[in-house]
Amino acid sequence: MDNRRKIPVHVAIIMDGNGRWAKRRGLPRTVGHTQGARTVEQILEDADHMGIRYLTVYAFSTENWSRPDGEVKALMNLLRTYMKTSLAKCARNNVRIRVLGDKSRLDKDLQEAIANLERDTASNTGIGFQIAINYGSRDEIVRALRSAAAKVADGSMDPSEITESMISDNLDTHGIPDPDLLIRTGGEQRISNFLLWQTAYAELYFCDVAWPDFKKEDLEKAIDAYNHRERRYGGLIS
Ligand code: IPE
Ligand code: IPE
Ligand code: MG
C-alpha cells in the first residue's frame, strides 16, 4: 500500500461468505465461522497497525436467529469463547471493546462476559473495536426512538429537541464517528440492515473474497479504492 494514502478513521465490515467458504471445501458451515473468527482477530491487529482508529464488524444480525438452531448455537458459542478469551489480548493491545445491538436476547453468561469486557477495556486508548451482535439497524433506531418518545411522554423533553445529533447520541454507536468506509466481503452487494443511519455518507466497497480468506492485503486494497473516491457530502469538490 502507498504510505501516503489517507487512512479512514472508522472502517465497518460486513463479514460475509463464511458458509460458502466452508461449502466449497466440503466442510460444515460452522467451520467457516470458526475460520472467520480467526480472521477477525488478525484484521483487528492489522487495522490497528495501519492506524485505523475504529473498526466495527457485523457478527450476528437480528435476522440471523432464523438460521438453523445448530448454526445459531455454534455462532453464539464462538462469540462466547471470543468474549471470554480476548480480554487479556485486548488489555495487552490497548483495545477498547463495545458490543452493538440488543444484548437482552443473549444468554445471561454472554451478557455478563460482554459487560466485563466493555467495563475492563473502557479506559483503553487504542483502537475502538465494535462488534455487532443481535444487531439490526432498524431495531437500533426503534430503540432510540422509544426512549425519546418516553421522555416526551413524561414531559422531560420537547419534540423540538429531537434532532439529528440527538438521534446519533441515542444509537449504540454514540460517541463514535460515522464510518468512512463500509466493506462487504463474500460477493453480495447489499447492506443487510447494518448501520443504516451511520453510513449515510460512507464510501461502499464490495469484494468477492470470502471473509475467512480476507487478509491485510485485501483491507489495503479497500483503502486504496477509498483513496480514489471523491467525497462530496452533497457539496462540490473545491
Ligand atoms: C457471515 O457468513 C457470517 C454470519 C452471517 C454470521 P454467512 O454465514 O452469511 O456465509 P454465507 O453468506 O452463507 O456464505
Ligand atoms: C449479514 O450477512 C449479517 C452478518 C454478516 C452478520 P447475512 O449473510 O446474514 O446477510 P444476507 O442474508 O445475505 O442479506
Ligand atoms: Mg451470508
Side-chain angles (χ1 to χ4, degrees):
M1 189 173 63
D2 186 331
N3 287 330
R4 290 162 304 179
R5 288 284 187 262
K6 206 168 102 202
I7 299 295
V9 174
H10 183 174
V11 175
I13 307 183
I14 301 173
M15 313 182 288
D16 196 26
N18 293 353
R20 280 163 287 163
W21 180 92
K23 195 171 171 213
R24 275 200 299 275
R25 288 162 175 76
L27 299 166
R29 292 177 56 83
T30 50
V31 177
H33 297 316
T34 309
Q35 196 53 44
R38 293 197 187 111
T39 304
V40 175
E41 297 218 19
Q42 186 56 51
I43 290 297
L44 172 61
E45 216 175 296
D46 295 335
D48 191 14
H49 289 155
M50 287 160 75
I52 292 166
R53 298 298 299 154
Y54 298 90
L55 178 73
T56 302
V57 300
Y58 204 4
F60 192 92
S61 75
T62 46
E63 288 71 32
N64 287 148
W65 296 106
S66 66
R67 293 193 177 195
D69 274 359
E71 181 166 346
V72 170
K73 276 209 183 81
L75 282 164
M76 287 299 149
N77 280 333
L78 260 179
L79 288 165
R80 184 174 274 112
T81 310
Y82 183 83
M83 294 298 161
K84 290 182 177 167
T85 59
S86 63
L87 184 55
K89 211 170 170 190
C90 288
R92 202 164 55 241
N93 297 329
N94 202 18
V95 175
R96 198 169 55 260
I97 291 208
R98 189 191 295 183
V99 171
L100 313 179
D102 181 359
K103 296 164 202 162
S104 66
R105 193 171 166 182
L106 307 177
D107 287 349
K108 280 278 167 300
D109 73 310
L110 185 51
Q111 289 188 39
E112 272 166 33
I114 291 170
N116 291 341
L117 200 50
E118 288 183 332
R119 189 197 53 230
D120 293 347
T121 65
S123 54
N124 285 354
T125 54
I127 189 169
F129 181 47
Q130 293 69 236
I131 314 173
I133 306 175
N134 189 26
Y135 176 89
S137 190
R138 288 180 170 185
D139 175 68
E140 178 190 37
I141 292 169
V142 166
R143 286 186 281 112
L145 290 186
R146 275 199 191 128
S147 83
K151 285 180 196 153
V152 171
D154 74 14
S156 62
M157 191 172 77
D158 188 80
S160 66
E161 292 174 62
I162 299 181
T163 59
E164 291 191 7
S165 64
M166 182 267 176
I167 292 178
S168 293
D169 289 346
N170 280 278
L171 298 176
D172 299 340
T173 47
H174 56 89
I176 295 171
D178 287 342
D180 303 288
L181 171 64
L182 172 66
I183 299 171
R184 182 174 184 139
T185 66
E188 309 286 342
Q189 305 198 353
R190 56 177 168 266
I191 306 295
S192 300
N193 204 9
F194 192 44
L195 304 175
L196 299 177
W197 175 277
Q198 298 88 334
T199 56
Y201 275 100
E203 296 295 333
L204 308 182
Y205 180 86
F206 300 101
C207 72
D208 289 335
V209 180
W211 179 249
D213 284 336
F214 193 81
K215 299 273 179 311
K216 184 181 177 201
E217 293 69 38
D218 300 301
L219 180 57
E220 288 174 343
K221 263 190 216 163
I223 292 175
D224 280 344
Y226 166 83
N227 270 269
H228 288 96
R229 306 280 177 88
E230 270 187 4
R231 302 192 80 189
R232 292 188 173 215
Y233 303 101
L236 294 176
I237 297 299
S238 49

